[in-house]
Amino acid sequence: MTDSAQNSPPQTAPTATSLTETERKRTEQKKAVPNGVEHRSSVLTSYDPRTSELLGDYAMMGADEVTRTIREAKSAQKWWAGLGSSGRKRWLLDWKKAIAKRAADLVEVVVQETGKPHDDAWLEVMLAVEHLDWAAKNAGKVLDRHKVRSGLVAMNQASSVGYEPLGVVGVIGPWNYPVYTPMGSIAYALAAGNAVVFKPSELTPGTGTWLAETWRTLAPNQPVFQVVTGDADTGAALCRSRVDKVSFTGSAATARKVLAICAESLTPAVIEGGGKDAMIVGGDAKLDAAAEAAVFGGMGNAGQTCVGVERVYVVETVFDDFVALVETKARKLKPGADRGAAYGPMTREAQVEVVRDHVRDALDKGGTAVVGGLDSIREPYIQPIVLVDVPEDSIAVTEETFGPVLVINRVRDLSEAIARANATSFALGASVFTQDTRTGQWVAERLRAGVVTINSVLGFAGVAALPFGGVGDSGFGRIHGADGLREFSRVKSIARQKRRAPLHLLTMDRKARHLRVSKWVFKTRHTR
Ligand code: NAD
């Protein structure tokens, strides 16, 4: 691909192909790719999920290309680490400016590859840039060597802690937020002094390429941030390539495969998995605000949000009123490709079947559809679906649906709501609506989740200082915030002896008197 082609969204004459046609093309492409990374079809084609229009061809990179990229990254990382946090900050802020200045171009690529509305893509890009800004400006404060108190018994030591880069970090990303999600690893890993090799989803290779190209334009001779395009095998090759850490975002099923590969070489990994986030609505909640948030969290981005709302537990005294409000708001939403559309298509075709299975299971088990139903599920757009009183053992309650579907169930009280919210294997985000601050805090502290919002959904996303990550099938490790910077660092402790200790115990010539005094000090300090 030429430089100019990489700088702008790939342009291809629109073709009036149907989605079936896209499926056919993809199937043919898959057939052309034998298993294994050595003998690969060389082309990865990106499509617009709204129109099936072909957007562009990217390299389907195999093990050789990945290894070559890592080699270049290793050498560039030495320069990058040598700049120190203040030098890196200047480069990263320049990169940030380059992205921000051309944000409209990036938005266009995201819209074309995911089908999401422009406004949603803008929101995603703006949030990603905030994280890059925060990581650049705070890395020095968090990671640079700083003194810690040595304490009474080691007062002759000057103690300090510093965080060193790991080396090269392999970032594997999903397609649903193809800028915001990987930037949560990329920005923090770079700011911590690592080089990054990014494998975007096979559905959004243009977005990853665009990001890498902005870095390449800025620092053509320093491949500190590079992209490798391809599919699952390319991701697997990256995990095998002896990077110093893998940061994976995607489904729990793929996470298991990633970890199995990483285990072979003891490569550490951060796992940002899926979610089945619950919202809890208390009897005293502002119902209109809660309903607005539920509809946004459940239907926004066609429900393809790892920390969106999939389940709502509502205290029974306000259940009917809440459902009525959600019904009214959800019915107004129209998915589509036009600028005024509430949300776009299902980006990944196969997800449509998952949504159908979940809705069918919920209805078969006795749930009721109050908005939409099985007929709402068409390709590539799914109309809003709201289900109530769905049995807790339905897969619509236990598994990630990842579509514009809300399950609303009634509970006796907040304790029952917490118990049900905590009952799935996922634990990524959660939210609670109540007007009582102490109640909100009480619920938040009892929810099994990596992040909880009170009286909003997704309210944390723009707070770069807040660490983000999950529990259980939602993963482990943290991105964002100070913990996100430390996640991509190796801590090193240094104790420098300033003078000989008055009670000199670390010697074979230990004096009995020194030990006697030490025992007395010990008893005085710890037995009172
Ligand atoms: P996915 O698991 O299908 O793929 C994710 C990435 O892994 C892709 O780049 C893919 O090519 C790669 N991959 C696939 N098989 C691989 C293998 N064997 N080895 C290495 N890499 C491999 O997920 P997806 O469909 O792209 O994304 C949707 C999922 O991501 C949902 O479950 C969603 O909840 C989750 N997600 C989580 C977060 C978070 O921050 N926790 C954010 C966004 C999305």
Side-chain angles (χ1 to χ4, degrees):
M1 194 175 257
T2 63
D3 272 6
S4 63
Q6 284 185 334
N7 275 335
S8 53
Q11 298 295 322
T12 312
T15 48
T17 46
S18 65
L19 194 78
T20 326
E21 178 70 359
T22 311
E23 281 169 336
R24 188 184 60 72
K25 284 186 207 153
R26 282 192 176 144
T27 312
E28 276 177 6
Q29 188 182 337
K30 278 184 196 140
K31 273 190 209 148
V33 182
N35 288 333
V37 287
E38 303 305 336
H39 313 285
R40 313 285 310 286
S41 157
S42 59
V43 177
L44 171 71
T45 305
S46 166
Y47 296 93
D48 184 328
R50 299 166 299 181
T51 58
S52 303
E53 182 187 325
L54 192 149
L55 295 172
D57 288 336
Y58 297 85
M60 183 76 89
M61 295 190 185
D64 291 348
E65 286 108 322
V66 171
T67 306
R68 202 163 43 241
T69 310
I70 301 293
R71 201 178 306 129
E72 286 173 18
K74 278 199 168 137
S75 121
Q77 192 269 333
K78 291 190 176 61
W79 164 77
W80 187 239
L83 291 178
S85 56
S86 54
R88 290 195 293 270
K89 175 176 160 185
R90 283 193 289 277
W91 278 96
L92 289 174
L93 292 180
D94 281 352
W95 189 40
K96 175 200 79 168
K97 271 186 225 153
I99 296 173
K101 277 186 186 156
R102 296 184 48 221
D105 295 349
L106 177 57
V107 162
E108 205 52 50
V109 184
V110 172
V111 168
Q112 288 188 342
E113 290 199 322
T114 63
K116 67 175 69 178
H118 279 79
D119 291 357
D120 287 358
W122 265 108
L123 194 59
E124 162 170 11
V125 169
M126 289 189 293
L127 286 173
V129 166
E130 287 299 330
H131 277 275
L132 177 53
D133 183 68
W134 192 92
K137 289 179 178 163
N138 287 278
K141 218 179 302 169
V142 175
L143 304 177
D144 283 357
R145 184 156 290 282
H146 57 272
K147 287 183 188 161
V148 293
R149 286 172 69 92
S150 297
L152 184 68
V153 293
M155 57 195 296
N156 63 321
Q157 303 285 344
S159 305
S160 67
V161 173
Y163 293 84
E164 299 174 354
L166 299 172
V168 179
V169 174
V171 174
I172 299 177
W175 46 265
N176 59 336
Y177 290 92
V179 179
Y180 176 76
T181 290
M183 191 57 91
S185 298
I186 294 166
Y188 292 81
L190 286 173
N194 304 283
V196 170
V197 175
F198 172 39
K199 208 298 275 179
S201 164
E202 47 273 54
L203 300 187
T204 53
T207 306
T209 302
W210 191 98
L211 287 172
E213 199 49 37
T214 48
W215 175 266
R216 203 170 71 89
T217 309
L218 199 67
N221 301 319
Q222 298 297 353
V224 164
F225 173 56
Q226 300 175 85
V227 75
V228 286
T229 50
D231 60 6
D233 287 343
T234 313
L238 184 57
C239 297
R240 274 194 197 96
S241 66
R242 298 216 167 240
V243 286
D244 297 284
K245 191 158 197 167
V246 167
S247 184
F248 169 82
T249 307
S251 62
T254 309
R256 289 185 171 85
K257 294 181 193 162
V258 164
L259 284 178
I261 300 171
C262 288
E264 290 166 17
S265 54
L266 285 185
T267 301
V270 185
I271 300 293
E272 296 291 343
K276 188 70 191 175
D277 290 8
M279 171 194 274
I280 292 177
V281 182
D284 68 338
K286 286 191 176 161
L287 289 189
D288 197 64
E292 183 188 336
V295 171
F296 172 68
M299 313 290 174
N301 204 33
Q304 303 165 122
T305 303
C306 54
V307 276
V309 178
E310 297 224 350
R311 306 172 286 154
V312 189
Y313 293 109
V314 187
V315 170
E316 57 194 0
T317 49
V318 294
F319 182 82
D320 291 339
D321 291 345
F322 177 81
V323 170
L325 285 165
V326 169
E327 261 187 77
T328 310
K329 291 177 195 299
R331 279 186 203 287
K332 287 187 197 147
L333 303 181
K334 299 278 173 274
D338 51 296
R339 287 219 168 219
Y343 57 84
M346 300 304 285
T347 306
R348 184 172 163 262
E349 292 155 29
Q351 202 62 31
V352 175
E353 268 323 296
V354 175
V355 174
R356 204 190 309 278
D357 285 349
H358 285 202
V359 174
R360 189 184 290 119
D361 188 65
L363 298 176
D364 285 352
K365 287 203 163 88
T368 305
V370 294
V371 177
L374 280 169
D375 289 348
S376 315
I377 305 169
R378 292 180 217 111
E379 291 173 1
Y381 298 101
I382 300 182
Q383 305 288 327
I385 300 172
V386 180
L387 307 167
V388 299
D389 296 325
V390 179
E392 293 285 311
D393 64 347
S394 165
I395 52 174
V397 175
T398 58
E399 290 176 18
E400 187 178 44
T401 306
F402 229 50
V405 180
L406 268 180
V407 169
I408 311 179
N409 281 348
R410 68 187 84 220
V411 288
R412 276 187 316 279
D413 52 25
L414 291 175
S415 296
E416 187 185 358
I418 294 166
R420 291 207 198 177
N422 289 348
T424 71
S425 59
F426 295 100
L428 193 55
S431 54
V432 51
F433 278 73
T434 167
Q435 291 193 59
D436 185 81
T437 307
R438 284 173 59 183
T439 304
Q441 197 66 25
W442 183 84
V443 174
E445 284 171 13
R446 279 156 187 79
L447 282 166
R448 182 171 167 267
V451 58
V452 181
T453 50
I454 303 173
N455 293 331
S456 84
V457 293
L458 291 152
F460 67 89
V463 188
L466 279 177
F468 176 72
V471 183
D473 279 356
S474 294
F476 44 78
R478 291 295 179 265
I479 57 173
H480 302 173
D483 293 82
L485 288 164
R486 292 190 197 105
E487 187 73 55
F488 299 108
S489 312
R490 195 175 284 127
V491 62
K492 184 181 282 174
S493 301
I494 298 181
R496 177 176 59 83
Q497 180 157 309
K498 294 182 289 186
R499 56 185 169 273
R500 205 169 134 130
L503 299 173
H504 189 41
L505 302 180
L506 305 180
T507 170
M508 303 305 279
D509 298 325
R510 193 181 297 137
K511 303 266 187 311
R513 186 170 56 83
H514 284 192
L515 192 61
R516 220 170 31 248
V517 176
S518 292
K519 282 182 184 169
W520 177 82
V521 171
F522 167 78
K523 287 200 172 150
T524 312
R525 292 183 69 228
H526 298 300
T527 58
R528 281 190 295 173

